[in-house]
Amino acid sequence: MYRFGPADGPRVLALHGLTGHGRRWEALAAEQLPEVRMIAPDLRGHGRATTLPPWTFETVVEDVAAVLDGQPALVMGHSFGGAVAIRLALRYPELVRGLVLLDPAVGMPADLIDQIAVATLARPDYADVEEARLDKLETAWADVDSALLDAELAEHLVPAPGDRVQWRVHMPAIVSYWGQLAREIVVPPAGLPTVLVQAMKAQIVTPQFRAALTAQLGDRLTVHEFDCDHMVPQSRPAETAAVVRAAL
């Protein structure tokens, strides 16, 4: 669990994406939203969280609901975290004041997810830190400040067998979660204030999901299109912070 900002600040529950970790929100909290009380857990199978199954949206929703301890918050989710945030709002509407969905991965094409899962298993680790850095730069981190990438490598890489390195994640959970992203499209409860930020250099938000959001929420939906790749809060921190402030 990571907590940033003053104890009496407005509460934001921040949910990271697949293969991420809670500390990934630290720079956004400290540098852009210092007045916010940001609560950022490592999700099950990630970082220092438990690795035990079941590895499903339902289990992760129960985990993050327990983190809130009955106190409502604005919920911000990136990618996989955005899909979790929607399901949290459906299961526990009393805990969610509003949603900020940063390039959420919802109802992804099954063939694409299959390809990604197979590729994940084929390349579970790296020869060294530099190989891991190059992989990040080739997969959505190219427009992220180099200092944030350095921090990611320092925090999230751990030793692997054979003098190699790997991300601090539980690979069986990760592969299972990829499958979760191919489940049916779900949308927030009608009337819930929701912000969608779509990364226009990525292909994560599907037209079907965006249309379903619009049909469900109407004028309760605000949409922003950011000219960046998938790592929205790292690529566009000031713009992300402005979105959060407006939602609060």
Side-chain angles (χ1 to χ4, degrees):
M1 279 295 304
Y2 299 92
R3 295 179 176 86
F4 310 110
D8 60 350
R11 289 163 55 91
V12 174
L13 175 67
L15 305 177
H16 63 76
L18 200 51
T19 75
H21 55 95
R23 196 172 179 185
R24 192 177 275 178
W25 298 101
E26 183 173 21
L28 180 70
E31 298 171 14
Q32 302 292 337
L33 292 164
E35 75 279 14
V36 168
R37 179 58 161 173
M38 194 175 294
I39 305 162
D42 288 344
L43 301 180
R44 182 178 295 254
H46 295 77
R48 295 171 174 82
T50 179
T51 61
L52 295 178
W55 304 303
T56 64
F57 279 136
E58 288 77 13
T59 305
V60 177
V61 163
E62 295 303 318
D63 290 342
V64 298
V67 165
L68 287 174
D69 196 27
Q71 301 299 312
L74 176 71
V75 181
M76 171 173 59
H78 172 243
S79 194
F80 176 82
V84 173
I86 293 171
R87 286 173 166 83
L88 177 67
L90 291 167
R91 177 70 178 85
Y92 295 102
E94 73 279 5
L95 295 180
V96 181
R97 294 187 183 278
L99 293 174
V100 175
L101 307 176
L102 305 176
D103 217 31
V106 178
M108 300 293 292
D111 56 347
L112 173 62
I113 291 298
D114 183 57
Q115 294 173 24
I116 294 172
V118 169
T120 300
L121 288 174
R123 194 180 183 185
D125 55 23
Y126 308 97
D128 51 32
V129 173
E130 285 311 305
E131 186 179 6
R133 183 192 303 276
L134 289 175
D135 184 50
K136 284 292 190 192
L137 291 173
E138 293 169 359
T139 54
W141 285 69
D143 52 1
V144 174
D145 185 273
S146 60
L148 290 181
L149 179 52
D150 288 342
E152 177 76 7
L153 296 169
E155 164 64 23
H156 204 38
L157 275 180
V158 294
D163 293 325
R164 296 174 68 83
V165 293
Q166 64 187 27
W167 303 119
R168 196 195 302 268
V169 297
H170 187 56
M171 195 56 67
I174 298 305
V175 174
S176 181
Y177 289 145
W178 280 122
Q180 293 287 292
L181 293 183
R183 288 173 58 175
E184 74 284 355
I185 289 176
V186 295
V187 292
L192 182 67
T194 299
V195 182
L196 170 67
V197 176
Q198 182 170 353
M200 301 308 291
K201 293 181 180 179
Q203 295 182 335
I204 301 299
V205 176
T206 67
Q208 295 83 358
F209 173 62
R210 186 159 164 174
L213 272 182
T214 302
Q216 171 79 342
L217 297 173
D219 62 4
R220 304 300 281 169
L221 174 67
T222 303
V223 177
H224 300 276
E225 296 179 348
F226 283 10
D227 182 28
C228 66
D229 213 322
H230 184 51
M231 302 307 298
V232 172
Q234 288 75 33
S235 298
R236 298 290 184 270
E239 295 89 336
T240 300
V243 166
V244 172
R245 284 199 180 92
L248 286 169

